[in-house]
Amino acid sequence: MTSDDLDAIFKALADPTRRRIVDRLAARPRQSLFELCAGAVAEGQPAMSRQAVSQHLDVLERAGLVRVEWSGRTKLHALELGPLKAAQAAWLGRYLAEEAG
Amino acid sequence: MTSDDLDAIFKALADPTRRRIVDRLAARPRQSLFELCAGAVAEGQPAMSRQAVSQHLDVLERAGLVRVEWSGRTKLHALELGPLKAAQAAWLGRYLAEEAG
DNA sequence: TTGACATGCAAGTATTTGCTTGCCTATAAA
DNA sequence: TTTATAGGCAAGCAAATACTTGCATGTCAA
């Protein structure tokens, strides 16, 4: 866990659209790009272009927070919590409250 | 803790220089702007101009992570962990490992 | 094979970020 | 009062971001 890794992780989480993508992938893993676009609309949020969502997913993927699996022509995305827990161990944990239960 | 608050907190932590400032304030609270500039050099890091450090402190202060207290012409900075713990409670905690010990 | 679908790639643009430079204000010390 | 010190304000600039538009590629179905 280098300083650059922490940069990428915090930067990825610093955007509300990306945090919503994380939340949707936590609720249901293995979603395609189109499913994630539709999910935004389903939650009553402003529609996002496919390219915009794709670029957000790239940011999350480069931070290691999203893992990708191809199934034919469909790219399935799922949450990867390892880097976040590593960030907690490497830096964030010093400053966080101990989690209650 | 609004989504904007989370934006500000994660964005503030997404820069290595700002994380080092946080670390230095954790090690010793109530440091002035000049002390924080000197601290960078003392740690063997590249010197930073007063204005650059000041702008980083503004970002941390706007995120609520740094609390300021004036003493004469000296502005003393200290770490404020409340917002970080609030961010953990509001969002981050869902995805973090339970802290060992 | 043809056409529809899921996604990638690349260029263009407006905004933000990180940093610098130059000048100004206010407090403290000589 | 003069001078040095701690910091603020504002403009300028290169790089990064967030998003769009247009076109290309690869996969599946009819």
Side-chain angles (χ1 to χ4, degrees):
Chain A
M1 176 67 43
T2 69
S3 185
D4 283 352
D5 293 334
L6 289 173
D7 285 7
I9 290 169
F10 286 127
K11 189 163 296 185
L13 298 181
D15 183 281
T17 303
R18 284 195 289 266
R19 286 196 304 275
R20 282 196 298 265
I21 290 176
V22 165
D23 290 338
R24 284 202 289 275
L25 287 177
R28 188 161 64 86
R30 294 171 57 87
Q31 292 191 64
S32 74
L33 181 53
F34 272 57
E35 287 174 305
L36 289 165
C37 287
V41 176
E43 290 176 7
Q45 282 139 16
M48 300 202 58
S49 77
R50 174 178 64 85
Q51 289 80 353
V53 174
S54 175
Q55 284 166 20
H56 281 304
L57 285 169
D58 280 346
V59 173
L60 288 166
E61 198 180 335
R62 277 196 296 271
L65 295 171
V66 158
R67 154 179 33 100
V68 155
E69 174 192 348
W70 280 94
S71 166
R73 64 183 166 183
T74 304
K75 190 182 190 181
L76 297 172
H77 304 79
L79 207 54
E80 182 57 70
L81 292 178
L84 204 52
K85 295 175 182 177
Q88 181 183 21
W91 190 83
L92 198 50
R94 300 175 210 167
Y95 304 112
L96 284 179
E98 305 299 317
E99 187 120 32
Chain B
M1 175 68 41
T2 69
S3 185
D4 284 352
D5 293 333
L6 289 172
D7 285 8
I9 290 169
F10 286 127
K11 190 165 298 185
L13 298 181
D15 183 281
T17 301
R18 285 195 289 268
R19 287 196 305 276
R20 282 196 299 264
I21 289 176
V22 166
D23 290 338
R24 283 202 290 272
L25 287 177
R28 186 161 65 88
R30 297 169 56 86
Q31 293 191 64
S32 73
L33 180 52
F34 274 57
E35 287 174 304
L36 288 165
C37 287
V41 176
E43 290 176 6
Q45 282 140 17
M48 301 202 57
S49 78
R50 176 178 63 87
Q51 289 82 352
V53 174
S54 175
Q55 284 166 21
H56 281 303
L57 285 169
D58 280 346
V59 174
L60 289 166
E61 197 180 337
R62 278 197 296 272
L65 296 171
V66 158
R67 153 178 34 98
V68 154
E69 174 193 346
W70 280 92
S71 166
R73 66 182 164 182
T74 304
K75 191 181 188 181
L76 297 172
H77 304 81
L79 208 54
E80 182 58 73
L81 291 178
L84 204 52
K85 294 175 181 176
Q88 181 183 20
W91 191 83
L92 198 50
R94 299 177 210 167
Y95 304 112
L96 283 181
E98 306 300 317
E99 186 119 30

